[in-house]
């Protein structure tokens, strides 16, 4: 029998399959969708399709919830504009907020948590000061974490607004400074599109590069199904011809992100049926097979499965971020802190 | 999950899975009179999991998780598994339900009109609703009042009533029937807890809605008194008592304004059950 997580992927890919789902399977599928933050996305995707009344009600709840989340996300973005206006820096929105503000398909039903923005690295101190002045505060007071972020990461330690509770991640580049690929953040900032209201977003190819970097070259694939769905929709919207795929390839190569783009597209093609250009080579590799297994590692109760694989990919995400000695030191410090915290409970 | 059951209360269906048999058996016993829903599509999934794999047997402790969870919720010993399940059901409603405005309140109905009671934990709203349910009122719930976003009517959500500490013995006196009580849970974070099945007639009528007519803020343990709560103060207090008011946005605001304009509110203080019944009847006579 097909597993619920695979049924979820099938429904996203082909909504007409909704009529083939039996009553008992829905509970599992909805539970998995919620755990993957894809419930409202599924609700949007199955709009107009015939589903049991109970499912329709749950979808209506998910839409209501999503509308409120997206309204808050728009407001948070405007608050960042206001805070940075005196510096003359229009924030470049990344991820969910960017899809939402530029009206892309990827925003439909998308959950948006933190606000992610990109700003020029040489203005970072000013941006930080402006945000602190406007009510944002540090989340991580821990000196090791603070120093770690500042020295090695691609973003400031996260800030949270003291009244609105909204989290902001200020990026100054695409990947950690210690990672091997070095995407050209300056060029991305240069090319960013103005979308009005004092906001900017990355140009389409850079947006795809960022999406893939975030998905494959950086993360441990938590929330991977959703991030890959973003990528699928972005490609479907931006790359409508052989030529545009060619341009994407060139852009990805200029950012050192060609393997990330190709690997992500392979997975998206496999799971969601995204177009695969003839000249991009073989569609399958053992690496992608492992990632695929990781992406689908969830059972019908919403529980995570395959702990060793999850752990391996978690380690890999760190391995990609930093050289071995630094990684060992980092994990040791993190582990000791975790152990201390557990003892103190 | 090794053990599971589904529970249907008012408009919501919960699927509860557990690593252990005991909490599921206790839930099934407590919710035995409720409609059978084993094949129904569940609105929410709840998991009672062992914190680590060996903790299933060694010092077993239950970690609450499911569709909606609080990241820093502390685990409970297995003997309090039933409480864990109840807390988890509350959490799903509080964080996930969007079909009604949710008020942290108890509700009872008579002659098609609803009396709402809200207040801090320990104010006596649960006990008072249980008491009224034994005195001719229909029990609609002691945890959440579900306010229809359009009509303003109250939808029944008659979960098992959660009695705490001294309220347990008080309720045993006026209920009489020992078979309607769940197991006594001692040393919980809120002291002793024991659940009480609502009267069967209340469970049978749980799908019926009714319009709210009176809102009370009870305070148990103070000399007898009644005070009017003005609409503005009432509004602000109810925004605090609602778990999804902010999340519902404009729909929640309109529903709450509608309720406050339509329903008079009073604070009542009392020291005995008889005093409470008298005060309620006196105020009810004005709106009935």
């Amino acid at each position: 029998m097909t597993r619920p997580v695979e049924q979820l992927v099938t429904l996203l890919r082909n909504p007409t399959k909704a009529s083939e789902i039996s009553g008992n399977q829905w509970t599992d599928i909805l539970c998995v969708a919620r755990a993957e933050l894809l419930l409202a996305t599924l609700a949007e995707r199955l709009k107009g399709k015939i589903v049991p009344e109970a499912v329709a009600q749950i979808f209506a709840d998910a839409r209501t919830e999503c509308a409120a989340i997206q309204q808050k996300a728009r407001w948070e973005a405007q608050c960042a504009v206001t805070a940075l206006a005196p510096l003359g820096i229009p924030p470049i929105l990344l991820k969910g907020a960017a899809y939402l503000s530029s009206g892309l398909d990827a925003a439909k039903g998308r959950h948006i948590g933190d606000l992610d923005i990109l700003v020029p690295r040489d203005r970072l101190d000013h941006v930080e000061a402006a945000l602190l002045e406007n009510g944002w505060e540090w989340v991580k007071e821990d000196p090791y974490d603070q120093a770690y972020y500042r020295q090695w990461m691609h973003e400031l330690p996260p800030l949270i607004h003291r009244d609105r509770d909204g989290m902001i991640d200020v990026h100054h580049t695409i990947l950690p400074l210690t990672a091997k690929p070095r995407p050209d953040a300056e060029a991305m900032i240069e090319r960013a599109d103005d979308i009005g209201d004092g906001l900017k977003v990355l140009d389409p190819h850079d947006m795809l590069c960022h999406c893939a970097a975030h998905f494959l070259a950086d993360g441990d694939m938590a929330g991977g199904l959703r991030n890959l769905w973003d990528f699928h929709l972005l490609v479907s919207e931006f790359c409508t011809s052989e030529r545009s795929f060619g341009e994407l390839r060139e852009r990805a190569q200029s950012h050192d992100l060609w393997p990330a783009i190709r690997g992500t597209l392979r997975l998206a093609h496999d799971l969601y049926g995204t177009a695969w250009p003839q000249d991009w080579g073989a569609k399958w590799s053992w690496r992608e097979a492992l990632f695929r297994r990781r992406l689908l590692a969830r059972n019908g109760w919403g529980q995570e499965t395959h702990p060793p694989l999850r752990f391996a990919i978690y380690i890999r995400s760190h391995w990609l971020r930093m050289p071995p000695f630094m990684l060992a030191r980092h994990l040791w410090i993190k582990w000791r802190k975790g152990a201390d915290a557990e003892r103190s409970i | 999950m090794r053990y599971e059951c589904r529970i249907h209360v008012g408009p919501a269906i919960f699927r509860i899975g557990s690593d252990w048999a005991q909490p599921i058996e206790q839930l099934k016993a407590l919710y035995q009179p409720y409609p059978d829903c084993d094949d129904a599509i569940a609105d929410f999934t709840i998991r009672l999991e062992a914190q680590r794999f060996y903790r299933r047997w060694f010092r077993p402790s239950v970690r609450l998780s499911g569709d909606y969870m609080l990241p820093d919720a502390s685990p409970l010993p297995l003997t309090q598994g039933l409480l864990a399940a109840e807390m988890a059901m509350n959490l799903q409603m509080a964080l996930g339900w969007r079909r009604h405005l949710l008020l942290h309140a108890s509700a009872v109905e008579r002659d098609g009109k609803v009396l709402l009671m809200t207040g801090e934990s320990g104010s006596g709203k649960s006990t008072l609703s249980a008491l009224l349910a034994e005195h001719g009122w229909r029990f609609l719930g002691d945890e959440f009042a579900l306010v229809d976003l359009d009509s303003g009517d109250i939808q029944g959500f008659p979960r098992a009533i959660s009695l705490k500490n001294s309220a347990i013995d008080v309720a045993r006196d006026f209920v009489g029937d020992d078979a309607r009580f769940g197991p006594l849970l001692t040393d919980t974070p809120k002291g002793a807890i024991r659940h009480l099945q609502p009267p069967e007639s209340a469970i049978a009528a749980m799908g019926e809605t009714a319009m709210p007519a009176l809102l009370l803020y009870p305070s148990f343990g103070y000399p007898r008194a009644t005070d009017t709560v003005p609409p503005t103060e009432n509004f602000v207090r109810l925004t605090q008592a609602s778990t999804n008011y902010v999340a519902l946005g404009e729909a929640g605001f309109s529903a709450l304004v509608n309720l406050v304009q339509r329903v008079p509110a009073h604070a009542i203080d009392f020291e005995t059950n008889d005093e409470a019944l008298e005060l309620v009847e006196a105020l009810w006579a004005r709106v009935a």
Side-chain angles (χ1 to χ4, degrees), chain B residues 99-252:
Chain B
R99 282 168 240 173
H100 297 86
L101 174 72
L102 252 67
L103 297 177
H104 186 57
S106 64
V108 289
E109 178 246 286
R110 200 164 73 183
D111 303 327
K113 291 178 203 159
V114 174
L115 162 65
L116 296 169
M117 290 168 284
T118 184
E120 303 285 306
S121 182
S123 62
K125 64 181 178 351
S126 279
T127 320
L128 189 49
S129 64
L131 181 68
L132 291 167
E134 303 300 319
H135 284 80
W137 298 69
R138 171 164 77 99
F139 178 80
L140 288 169
D142 80 318
E143 185 69 33
F144 291 120
L146 277 52
V147 184
D148 189 285
L149 292 172
D150 300 316
S151 69
D153 286 355
I154 307 298
Q155 156 83 56
F157 188 61
R159 289 261 304 286
I161 303 161
S162 158
L163 300 162
K164 294 172 200 89
N165 303 313
S166 60
I168 297 171
D169 286 334
V170 174
R172 278 186 64 186
D173 287 343
F174 64 69
V175 172
D177 183 4
D178 228 26
R180 280 173 53 202
F181 285 88
L184 178 68
L185 310 170
T186 49
D187 299 319
T188 79
K190 288 184 174 176
I193 289 186
R194 199 163 180 194
H195 294 93
L196 167 66
Q197 266 173 11
E200 271 194 48
S201 55
I203 298 168
M206 72 184 188
E208 289 170 27
T209 61
M211 62 180 192
L214 180 64
L215 175 69
L216 295 180
Y217 288 90
S219 293
F220 169 72
Y222 295 92
R224 178 175 173 151
T226 305
D227 201 3
T228 305
V229 180
T232 44
E233 186 190 332
N234 192 23
F235 181 86
V236 175
R237 285 172 79 164
L238 287 177
T239 60
Q240 301 299 312
S242 174
T243 58
N244 64 358
Y245 167 74
V246 173
L248 285 169
E250 199 179 335

Side-chain angles (χ1 to χ4, degrees), chain A residues 23-24 26-28 30-31 34-35 39 52 54-55 57-58 60-62 64-65 68 71 299-303 342, chain B residues 1 4 6 15-17 38-47 49 52 67-68 95-99 247-248:
Chain A
N24 249 329
W26 276 110
T27 301
D28 286 357
L30 296 174
C31 181
R34 220 177 234 141
L39 186 60
V55 176
Q57 295 251 6
I58 292 166
D61 279 5
T64 307
E65 191 172 322
Q71 188 181 31
N299 67 19
W301 282 87
Q303 290 169 306
E342 192 146 299
Chain B
M1 304 246 63
E4 70 168 288
R6 284 179 205 209
R15 171 175 66 156
I16 300 152
D38 283 350
D39 298 322
I41 296 166
D43 294 288
F44 298 112
T45 290
I46 288 162
R47 304 191 303 261
E49 296 171 312
R52 298 242 196 284
D67 289 340
Y68 292 88
L95 300 179
W97 193 257
R98 296 286 182 273
R99 282 168 240 173
L248 285 169

Side-chain angles (χ1 to χ4, degrees), chain B residues 51-110:
Chain B
Q51 209 186 353
R52 298 242 196 284
F53 80 94
Y54 60 86
R55 292 293 283 269
R56 189 178 289 180
W57 307 277
F58 171 69
R59 288 200 293 137
S61 85
V62 183
R63 189 182 59 189
L64 276 186
S65 55
D67 289 340
Y68 292 88
M69 33 191 160
L70 297 176
D72 44 6
S74 26
L76 291 169
L78 179 57
T79 48
Q80 295 171 17
L82 179 63
L83 175 65
E86 288 284 325
M87 284 166 59
M89 282 193 265
N90 288 341
L91 201 59
Q92 306 314 306
M93 290 302 283
L95 300 179
W97 193 257
R98 296 286 182 273
R99 282 168 240 173
H100 297 86
L101 174 72
L102 252 67
L103 297 177
H104 186 57
S106 64
V108 289
E109 178 246 286
R110 200 164 73 183

Side-chain angles (χ1 to χ4, degrees), chain A residues 48-109:
Chain A
K49 297 286 174 291
I50 294 171
V51 296
E53 177 55 25
V55 176
Q57 295 251 6
I58 292 166
F59 281 166
D61 279 5
R63 286 197 197 97
T64 307
E65 191 172 322
C66 181
I69 285 170
Q70 295 200 347
Q71 188 181 31
K72 186 167 186 293
R74 285 178 200 276
W75 175 239
E76 282 299 323
Q78 277 312 311
C79 290
V81 170
T82 311
L84 302 185
L87 305 176
I89 301 177
I92 300 172
L93 302 179
L94 302 173
K95 304 186 211 170
Y99 313 149
L100 180 67
S101 302
S102 37
L104 295 171
D105 285 345
K108 284 182 190 161

